[in-house]
Amino acid sequence: MSTPRRAAVQAEVLRATEELLAEGASWADLGVERIATTAGISRTAFYFYFSDKRELLVRLTEEVTELLYVEADRWFSGEGDAETEVREALQQIADVYAEHAQLLRVIVEVSTYDEEVAAFWRSVIGRFVTATRMRIEAEQAAGKAPAFPAEPTAFSLAWMIERAMYQLNRQDPGFSRQEAVEALVRVWMRSVYGSA
């Protein structure tokens, strides 16, 4: 059962973890003791709220992915101009990725060697795949998008965004984040609507 005290402590632990990652701490070297101290609690208290670092990482990521989903929903649930909705959604997603760059880098990297985290991350992206497929099918039914297999297109688009955002936060590609967003808008519009 969640209480105000539990919620406050968990929020502090989550904040402290993201702060330490932003300061350059590596996930592998980031110990529970350091996280707890930064959050102002004891190691024992940490384990009262989180079973281990994996649960902490998943819970922290869940909060951020909810923010990402809210932004993506501009297009998923939109009824206005598709290109405007796609551009706004992708721009806001890019902004959330930039704000939480270290955390989202860690979840992707841990998912390459931890099967539980990998299953969690696939389910997160799977939610975006499903919503994308549903919007594509709705656009096709309305005659706004040509006929093509919606599921593989949705899968490809969702994972393209995940990978592009990860790489934008890992390297300097030699162009701006805004230029990357515009490129993604063009790919998305051509893929779904057959237009630039």
Side-chain angles (χ1 to χ4, degrees):
M1 182 170 131
S2 184
T3 65
R5 168 73 180 151
R6 173 181 286 270
V9 171
Q10 289 177 342
E12 270 307 295
V13 171
L14 298 174
R15 180 206 54 76
T17 304
E18 196 157 21
E19 178 183 301
L20 290 166
L21 290 172
E23 290 172 358
S26 75
W27 182 251
D29 296 333
L30 187 56
V32 167
E33 185 76 38
R34 188 171 172 199
I35 294 169
T37 299
T38 305
I41 62 171
S42 68
R43 181 184 176 91
T44 303
F46 174 93
Y47 286 112
F48 180 76
Y49 295 105
F50 301 93
S51 60
D52 54 24
K53 274 177 47 178
R54 177 191 292 136
E55 182 185 349
L56 171 62
L57 179 61
V58 166
R59 295 251 301 279
L60 188 55
T61 305
E62 283 172 341
E63 291 189 7
V64 174
T65 55
E66 277 307 308
L67 298 174
L68 290 170
Y69 196 86
V70 165
E71 300 305 345
D73 198 51
R74 293 168 189 264
W75 181 71
F76 295 154
S77 300
E79 297 179 353
D81 177 69
E83 185 170 348
T84 299
E85 291 169 354
V86 167
R87 179 172 286 104
E88 288 176 356
L90 290 175
Q91 182 60 64
Q92 295 303 314
I93 286 169
D95 291 347
V96 172
Y97 259 87
E99 183 180 349
H100 300 281
Q102 296 306 318
L103 170 67
L104 293 169
R105 174 188 59 79
V106 167
I107 193 75
V108 169
E109 292 170 3
V110 173
S111 74
T112 65
Y113 60 80
D114 184 313
E115 188 49 43
E116 282 187 47
V117 173
F120 163 74
W121 191 237
R122 285 192 299 267
S123 74
V124 165
I125 304 303
R127 182 180 177 199
F128 288 84
V129 171
T130 298
T132 301
R133 175 187 55 75
M134 291 173 64
R135 177 68 192 263
I136 289 171
E137 289 172 348
E139 296 290 69
Q140 289 173 329
K144 297 178 182 178
F148 57 82
E151 182 74 23
T153 301
F155 177 90
S156 299
L157 288 171
W159 281 103
M160 172 190 71
I161 299 301
E162 186 265 7
R163 193 58 14 180
M165 294 299 165
Y166 172 80
Q167 289 299 331
L168 281 171
N169 289 327
R170 293 294 289 151
Q171 61 173 298
D172 177 3
F175 49 80
S176 71
R177 185 175 303 278
Q178 187 57 46
E179 288 174 300
V181 167
E182 287 303 317
L184 291 170
V185 170
R186 286 192 300 276
V187 171
W188 199 280
M189 292 304 293
R190 286 178 180 151
S191 298
V192 176
Y193 299 98
S195 61

